[in-house]
Structure formats: C-alpha cells, structure tokens
Amino acid sequence: MDQRRPLIAGNWKMNGLVADGVALAEALVERSRRHPGLPPDAAAEVPPDVPAALPCDVLVCPPFTLVDRVLQTVSGTKIAVGGQDCHAEASGARTGDVSAEMLKDLGCRYVIVGHSERRADHGEDDRTVRLKAEAALRAGLIAIVCVGETEAERDAGQTEAVVARQIAGSVPAAATPETVVVAYEPVWAIGTGKTATPAEAQAVHARIRAELNALLGSDAAARMRILYGGSVKPGNAAELLGQPDIDGALVGGASLKAEDFWGIVGAAK
Ligand code: PGA
C-alpha cells in the first residue's frame, strides 16, 4: 500500500448544469486549500497561492459539458480533472463522441473507461474498453479501467471469474502503474446503498492484483492502483480504504456533495 498513493476519484455522471458544477468545484477548491486533517470550518488556512498537500491524489470527472469550466475553477490546485469516457479514435466522423486527445487538449489528466453504465447502456465489451484505454494512453491520459460483476453473476458464484476475464480483456498490454488505474465496481453496489464488505472487496482486489501480475508482471502489479467503487460514503470509506489491496475509491453519488467527497478524501491516509 505504501508504494501506492491513494486516489479518490469523483464520477459526477450525467449531473450538473454549469452553475452546479462550478459551485461544486469551488467548494472542493476551498477545502483543498485547508491543511489536511483540520475540520472544514477550521480557521488556519494555507495561503491561496500555496496548494495544501493532500493526503492522496484527488480527481473529479464531470460531464463533458462541464470539463472546461471545472478545469478553470480548479486551476492552480492539486485537484485533477478527467473525462467519464472517450472514443477509441483520435478524430473523425463519430457524431456525439469525444476523443482522448480532446480531453488531453483541454487539460484533463485522466479518463474513465468501461464503467458498467457504459458497458450496459452502450454495449461496450472488453475489447472496446481496451481500445479506449489504449487511446487514452496514446493521448497521454491515465486510463481508469472499470470492471465488476452483476448481481446475477455474483449470485452464481462467478465474481472472480468475471472480473479476471474483464481484466484480461480490458487492460492494455502496455499498461503501467503510471498510466493505468483499475477500478473494481460491483454493479449491484452502484447507486444502491449496498456495498461489498471490506473483506469481500479485499478478496476481489487481491484476485485482480493476481490477474495483473499474470498480465503485466509482478512489479507493475504491485504498484498499480486498484480503486473500489459502489456506494462509497464518508461513513464506510475508512474501513474500505484500510484494506491492503484497496488503493482508493471511485465515488458516484457522494462525489456530488463537497462535504461528503471531502470526507472520503480525508479517510484516505
Ligand atoms: P455510487 O457510484 O458511488 O453512486 O455507487 C459509483 C460509480 O458508479 O462510480
């Protein structure tokens, strides 16, 4: 764990008009300027031109319409911005799509690929997800590659087999700990208020690390971050993040409230 700096990533999904997104980003900036460990209303602040050291890497992934405004709002802070998806190609006749190059050009550092909502709503399979992750790497973005089993697969006892297959099919061969982050998000835990117990999540994370070991070698597997996602909240974050193979969180609902998201950031120590 020591060799892996935690990453707390907010996935805003399809939420927020401009005023909401800017207000949320401003509230996060305000918190990021305070010394970590102090309560949000503490008086002692670092000067605005000196970004406070954060306990972990912090990322927000707004909808495409808000990316540029959020980048402007967090400029000069340690908060990174990413996209929620990208196309596998750099440009062309792809109506409605956005490329990794376009996100990089704006100033994004990350992009989420293969979120279960993309896999389910847009028919993305492992190969599609891998091509998107490869596009992210080509563009110089860090790809957050999502995997996770459905409730039916879980009930059938297939969790580890499904996740292993998704890792083998979705993670680029060229992945390194600097260019790829894996996110394990059990589909049944997303937006439902249900979470895997810390022990259940740890067992799957360990299985994912073993699969990364087979795919990329032991050094890369040992250093690659594996995030947990699915109803992460300030109240359950510390216990989940305390597991040896859980290196951060991908947060949906709770990332839409600055206080909750920052509570999760504070739990990543
Ligand atoms: P949730 O979403 O935190 O609202 O469960 C997580 C995700 O889908 O990334």
Side-chain angles (χ1 to χ4, degrees):
M1 178 74 179
D2 284 342
Q3 53 183 339
R4 302 187 294 271
R5 183 170 161 81
L7 169 64
I8 304 299
N11 173 11
W12 293 4
K13 306 192 180 181
M14 194 173 70
N15 290 296
L17 303 182
V18 172
D20 309 313
V22 169
L24 178 52
E26 281 171 349
L28 297 177
V29 166
E30 199 255 332
R31 282 164 172 78
S32 79
R33 292 201 193 288
R34 296 175 189 276
H35 288 292
L38 294 180
D41 56 351
E45 284 186 35
V46 289
D49 52 339
V50 181
L54 298 175
C56 59
D57 290 344
V58 177
L59 165 69
V60 292
C61 299
F64 290 136
T65 50
L66 295 180
V67 165
D68 195 34
R69 292 294 293 268
V70 170
L71 273 161
Q72 290 172 35
T73 308
V74 304
S75 162
T77 75
K78 302 228 178 221
I79 301 172
V81 179
Q84 297 174 13
D85 177 47
C86 66
H87 196 275
E89 288 169 29
S91 63
R94 304 289 176 191
T95 303
D97 280 312
V98 168
S99 71
E101 280 75 4
M102 291 167 172
L103 293 170
K104 174 72 177 177
D105 181 46
L106 279 181
C108 285
R109 290 181 39 211
Y110 293 78
V111 63
I112 300 169
V113 293
H115 189 281
S116 62
E117 288 152 14
R118 300 288 317 176
R119 289 178 185 258
D121 297 351
H122 300 270
E124 295 186 7
D125 59 12
D126 290 335
R127 180 174 173 278
T128 310
V129 174
R130 179 173 49 76
L131 292 174
K132 290 183 173 205
E134 287 170 357
L137 269 50
R138 266 200 319 273
L141 294 174
I142 299 172
I144 301 181
V145 178
C146 301
V147 298
E149 82 286 2
T150 63
E151 186 148 38
E153 289 164 340
R154 178 187 196 225
D155 291 346
Q158 294 170 349
T159 297
E160 294 200 5
V162 167
V163 166
R165 189 190 69 223
Q166 290 175 329
I167 291 287
S170 311
V171 173
T176 69
E178 287 73 35
T179 57
V180 167
V181 174
V182 170
Y184 168 56
E185 299 201 304
V187 177
W188 50 268
I190 294 178
T192 58
K194 297 184 205 166
T195 22
T197 65
E200 277 172 340
Q202 165 57 29
V204 182
H205 280 233
R207 180 72 178 82
I208 290 172
R209 204 172 298 287
E211 198 59 36
L212 292 172
N213 196 339
L215 211 61
L216 306 171
S218 58
D219 174 64
R223 293 193 299 116
M224 191 166 281
R225 292 180 289 189
I226 307 174
L227 314 183
Y228 174 79
S231 300
V232 178
K233 299 185 173 52
N236 60 22
E239 215 190 336
L240 286 161
L241 295 170
Q243 301 300 310
D245 286 295
I246 299 185
D247 310 313
L250 183 53
V251 185
S255 73
L256 296 172
K257 285 199 187 143
E259 194 182 337
D260 288 355
F261 187 63
W262 216 257
I264 298 168
V265 169
K269 286 189 186 126

